Amino acid sequence: MTYLPTSEHDELRAVVRELAEERIAPRATEVDQRAEFPWDLKELLARQDLLGTSFEERYGGTGLDEISQVILVEELARADATTSLIPIVQKLGSLPITLAGSDEQKERYFPRLASGEWLIAFGLTEAAAGSDVAANRTRARRDGDAYVLNGSKRFITHGSIANVLTVFALTDPAAGGRKGMSAFIVETDAPGFSSPRLEHKLGIRGSPTAELQFDDVRVPVQNRLGEEGEGFKIAMETLDRSRLGIAAQAVGIAQGALDAAVAYAAERQQFGQPIGEFQGIQFMLADMASQTEAARQLTYAAAARVEALAADLPYWTSAAKLIAGDTAMRVTSDAVQIFGGYGYITEYPVERMMRDAKITQLYEGTQQIQRMVIGRQLLQRAGVGGRVRAKSAARA
Amino acid sequence: MKIVVCVKQVPATTAEKRYTSDFRLDRTSAESVINPLDEYAIEQALRLQEAGTVESVAYLSMGPEQASEALRRALAMGGDEAYLVTDGGLAGADLWATARVLAAALDKLAPDVALMGMASDDAKGSLVPGAVAAIRGLPLLSYGSELRLEDSVARIRRLNATGYDIIEAPLPVIASVTDQVGEPRYASLKGIMAAKRKPLETWSLADLGISADELRGAALTRVIEVRPPEAKAPTERIESIPPEEAATRIADWLAARKLI
Ligand SMILES: Cc1cc2nc3c(=O)[nH]c(=O)nc-3n(C[C@H](O)[C@H](O)[C@H](O)COP(=O)(O)OP(=O)(O)OC[C@H]3O[C@@H](n4cnc5c(N)ncnc54)[C@H](O)[C@@H]3O)c2cc1C
């Protein structure tokens, strides 16, 4: 098996890199400092058909393969992590529909999502249900031809600006989160829905992270995804695939920091020579580059498994996200080190990259949760899967 | 109505350039792009097509085989088809030879407007539009900041020292536009995908009824040397002295050059 990029992959990378360098990178500092969603960049991505890459052509998307989607996110994140999250979440939010939606549901929502006219968000996490997804409390009570949703969600990326959400709520509280949760498509103009609050964050500051409130929000029965009780499974299968996007984001952030560090090391003079001529700096750069490349290749390998819908794809996407997230954190921190004091101030981009990198170790399953997924799969292969699985009701 | 935009592939300005012993650019050495000034001509043509004024936009390039990449990139921005004139006999073509070949290709394509950029980024001669117009015996509307087409007339706005000149001529015409037409678009992903399926035809000199000998014999110029631009005199810095003294030094410097 080979993961060498095709000429089409190279072409896509070149096209996105040009756009990102010319139009996105120059906005990154401002987006971070003002903590404002970059609507202009969202429009730009929509216009260039870059929000529709995960949707099939019959819905107006471009149906790119998984490696291409990784390359897109990577190149955007290299310039600005906040902006890279726009296509990531467009895919994350719509994956439950891709996996469990009917043709009718897809026809209804995908064209507007593929064109970028509408944004979607993924509403799973609650204040008391983070890693422990099954501890969800939001209720969905059946009432005639509708469900009535009550409860709140926390940490929902784009939740305040999305036109539509995929939301997870208990239809059978007695059965608990794993068996009693269902998934719904909720349009955000529904009465009773509100987004009362945004978080103030360390990084990806231009990306709104919203609290969502559901007060007797009526959702038509035809907006349920799959059957009642399938919500937990849909959520897990979504995350098994979507965290590939976070791995890609992490690789992109690391690459951006590495490129900045190499350029700075070639230019900054101390002791009468460029600091890049010191072996101590060269060795750091070499480690940063090798680790970033290793993370990238693992991410491509995982993308190939997702593309093939391999049975062990959760193992691969978890491993990729784990390695890529840790790499992004380490490489951005080393980039700050190479910049010295200038790395610590906002005049240079690497402190932002370091702050942005941290989130890749947290969302779509923390690094601890990735290790649980990987460990569980290893033990399953060794024949003790049943016991381990029963014990962990945690996010896959 | 039909526009043919002439597109040249040039080395990226940032690319390091190497030359062969007979002073020709070693094309394998440099990253190539669409001549940036031609992108404005493409943008102008596509805007006219979007407005419904023009039915078809085609691209024409003369160059080595790899110039087809530039044509694909142009097709990714929009437009319908492309033509590449490539032939061993074209190596080292001077601007007169280039103009003859483009004119012959344009005779075949017979567009209402042959549109070009105001110059190419590498040679910067700015003479090809005029030469093509002369060979084809057509009016030249050059340096337009905007091109408009009406029934049987082409009109450009050209920036002058105090305002605009409006210049018009009956179709068909040769026209060139400046970077004032507006920012060229980025190719969209769907545009890139669609471009792969758009027709790109390759013509040889024989297809245009021109012989290589005839072309070489007609060369009007010869390159005798290629040099990088001379380094500028080092920047003079006035630092670490009291402001009054610095101001006097600057004033003296300007006065010595009769600038104040
Ligand atoms: C900026 C941002 C954007 C987000 N976007 C979204 C979104 O769009 N949609 C959405 O649904 N959610 C979103 N989230 C939520 C995110 O996925 C959760 O924050 C994450 O899953 C962790 O949950 P928690 O914050 O409740 O941490 P907790 O689960 O409380 O974890 C606290 C610590 O305990 C560790 N831990 C927990 N359980 C175990 C265990 N079993 N073994 C070992 N260690 C454990 C964790 O790794 C962590 O270190 C977002 C979060 C942030 C910060």
Side-chain angles (χ1 to χ4, degrees):
Chain A
M1 191 185 266
T2 163
Y3 313 119
L4 276 184
T6 63
S7 63
E8 258 133 55
H9 291 143
D10 289 341
E11 185 184 13
L12 178 74
R13 187 187 298 283
V15 165
V16 180
R17 180 168 294 197
E18 182 185 7
L19 188 75
E21 282 180 350
E22 291 178 6
R23 302 288 300 277
I24 297 171
R27 286 275 284 120
T29 303
E30 193 182 20
V31 167
D32 174 60
Q33 287 177 357
R34 292 208 189 153
E36 271 174 17
F37 181 72
W39 284 104
D40 56 328
L41 299 181
K42 177 251 168 191
E43 288 308 323
L44 176 70
L45 294 181
R47 196 162 58 237
Q48 300 308 119
D49 306 317
L50 297 176
L51 294 184
T53 56
S54 65
F55 300 92
E56 290 171 63
E57 288 188 41
R58 68 180 142 144
Y59 299 121
T62 48
L64 294 189
D65 63 47
E66 294 288 339
I67 293 184
S68 295
Q69 295 180 51
V70 164
I71 289 170
L72 165 67
V73 169
E74 220 187 293
E75 289 302 324
L76 295 177
R78 180 174 168 270
D80 179 32
T82 287
T83 303
S84 74
L85 211 44
I86 305 174
I88 289 176
V89 175
Q90 202 74 340
K91 181 176 186 179
L92 167 67
S94 58
L95 259 173
I97 309 176
T98 304
L99 292 169
S102 63
D103 286 348
E104 209 187 330
Q105 288 167 332
K106 291 176 188 170
E107 267 151 36
R108 180 126 180 238
Y109 294 104
F110 282 2
R112 278 177 288 189
L113 294 170
S115 70
E117 183 194 341
W118 273 23
L119 291 176
I120 190 167
F122 177 78
L124 178 64
T125 302
E126 299 182 4
S131 301
D132 186 5
V133 172
N136 248 299
R137 280 196 216 134
T138 297
R139 277 280 337 246
R141 183 172 49 78
R142 179 76 184 250
D143 179 27
D145 57 0
Y147 289 89
V148 181
L149 267 62
N150 278 289
S152 61
K153 297 280 172 186
R154 192 157 183 188
F155 291 150
I156 308 306
T157 303
H158 299 170
S160 54
I161 55 174
N163 306 79
V164 62
L165 317 160
T166 41
V167 175
F168 297 82
L170 297 175
T171 38
D172 183 1
R178 307 189 110 230
K179 297 228 168 72
M181 189 156 50
S182 305
F184 301 92
I185 305 172
V186 180
E187 295 186 21
T188 54
D189 59 2
F193 172 81
S194 62
S195 171
R197 206 175 64 84
L198 296 181
E199 309 294 348
H200 301 280
K201 304 194 298 294
L202 176 70
I204 52 162
R205 287 167 45 82
S207 175
T209 309
E211 189 176 316
L212 308 183
Q213 185 66 37
F214 300 85
D215 293 318
D216 288 331
V217 176
R218 288 185 76 83
V219 178
V221 170
Q222 63 262 32
N223 277 20
R224 191 188 65 223
L225 288 164
E227 296 301 320
E228 273 193 18
E230 288 184 352
F232 186 82
K233 181 169 157 267
I234 294 169
M236 293 304 115
E237 285 179 1
T238 293
L239 293 163
D240 282 343
R241 296 197 202 180
S242 68
R243 56 180 175 252
L244 183 63
I246 305 304
Q249 182 183 43
V251 170
I253 295 171
Q255 188 66 49
L258 171 63
D259 292 346
V262 170
Y264 192 78
E267 177 195 298
R268 172 70 174 171
Q269 303 259 343
Q270 286 293 282
F271 299 100
Q273 55 180 316
I275 58 167
E277 301 211 344
F278 299 119
Q279 198 179 50
I281 298 287
Q282 270 179 27
F283 278 15
M284 281 178 81
L285 290 172
D287 285 347
M288 291 158 73
S290 316
Q291 288 162 1
T292 302
E293 197 55 49
R296 174 180 293 117
Q297 295 305 322
L298 181 56
T299 302
Y300 293 170
R305 262 66 179 201
V306 175
E307 184 73 33
L309 297 179
D312 62 349
L313 74 85
Y315 168 87
W316 286 92
T317 55
S318 279
K321 196 242 172 200
L322 174 64
I323 294 296
D326 287 358
T327 300
M329 200 62 245
R330 196 165 47 235
V331 168
T332 52
S333 168
D334 284 349
V336 169
Q337 194 66 27
I338 286 174
F339 272 73
Y342 296 93
Y344 200 68
I345 61 176
T346 56
E347 230 173 288
Y348 289 89
V350 286
E351 60 84 30
R352 166 176 55 80
M353 294 171 175
M354 182 176 158
R355 288 184 285 107
D356 287 345
K358 186 66 204 175
I359 192 61
T360 66
Q361 295 181 304
L362 294 170
Y363 57 13
E364 298 203 25
T366 64
Q367 301 298 65
Q368 286 71 25
I369 297 303
Q370 306 310 327
R371 289 184 171 91
M372 282 173 48
V373 175
I374 297 165
R376 192 161 70 209
Q377 296 233 351
L378 291 174
L379 288 166
Q380 264 172 28
R381 286 181 205 167
V384 290
R387 242 185 69 232
V388 177
R389 173 173 282 251
K391 267 194 180 168
S392 64
R395 158 169 305 182
Chain B
M1 256 191 261
K2 176 176 172 177
I3 294 189
V4 171
V5 184
C6 297
V7 170
K8 184 179 186 184
Q9 189 183 44
V10 299
T13 37
T14 50
E16 197 185 314
K17 295 160 193 91
R18 281 202 307 266
Y19 292 88
T20 59
S21 55
D22 53 350
F23 305 119
R24 281 193 249 137
L25 181 70
D26 174 4
R27 300 241 175 203
T28 55
S29 72
E31 184 203 339
S32 298
V33 297
I34 295 180
N35 169 33
L37 291 165
D38 291 347
E39 289 189 1
Y40 296 98
I42 297 171
E43 181 62 30
Q44 176 65 82
L46 295 178
R47 286 185 189 186
L48 288 166
Q49 189 176 34
E50 277 160 2
T53 320
V54 162
E55 285 91 54
S56 96
V57 171
Y59 303 105
L60 170 64
S61 187
M62 184 194 105
E65 246 163 63
Q66 61 156 351
S68 62
E69 286 165 23
L71 289 171
R72 283 276 174 231
R73 261 178 242 180
L75 287 168
M77 292 170 75
D80 307 292
E81 56 193 27
Y83 301 87
L84 172 65
V85 184
T86 188
D87 195 301
L90 284 170
D94 69 350
L95 84 90
W96 182 247
T98 305
R100 284 204 44 193
V101 170
L102 291 179
L106 288 169
D107 280 341
K108 251 177 109 144
L109 295 167
D112 297 283
V113 180
L115 193 60
M116 309 188 191
M118 61 184 272
S120 68
D121 212 31
D122 50 354
K124 293 217 165 80
S126 292
L127 294 171
V128 168
V132 170
I135 294 168
R136 298 191 70 213
L138 293 178
L140 171 70
L141 300 177
S142 59
Y143 298 106
S145 57
E146 189 191 5
L147 169 69
R148 285 204 192 161
L149 300 174
E150 261 164 48
D151 298 333
S152 52
V153 179
R155 202 171 282 131
I156 58 157
R157 278 159 72 88
R158 183 194 291 162
L159 203 58
N160 66 28
T162 52
Y164 284 102
D165 293 328
I166 307 285
I167 305 165
E168 66 171 48
L171 293 171
V173 300
I174 311 294
S176 73
V177 288
T178 70
D179 58 4
Q180 296 287 306
V181 300
E183 271 308 295
R185 66 200 60 197
Y186 291 93
S188 72
L189 190 53
K190 284 184 191 170
I192 293 165
M193 292 162 89
K196 297 194 198 325
R197 295 187 295 268
K198 291 180 183 174
L200 194 163
E201 216 175 293
T202 302
W203 289 340
S204 65
L205 281 179
D207 291 329
L208 299 178
I210 304 176
S211 82
D213 284 347
E214 177 192 346
L215 208 59
R216 202 165 299 122
L220 297 182
T221 56
R222 191 161 54 88
V223 180
I224 49 174
E225 197 186 350
V226 175
R227 271 190 282 129
E230 263 158 45
K232 288 201 189 105
T235 309
E236 212 175 301
R237 287 171 172 276
I238 299 171
E239 288 176 315
S240 322
I241 54 172
E244 303 80 39
E245 211 178 302
T248 317
R249 291 258 296 270
I250 292 169
D252 288 348
W253 190 94
L254 290 170
R257 284 160 186 78
K258 301 208 171 9
L259 293 168
I260 52 172

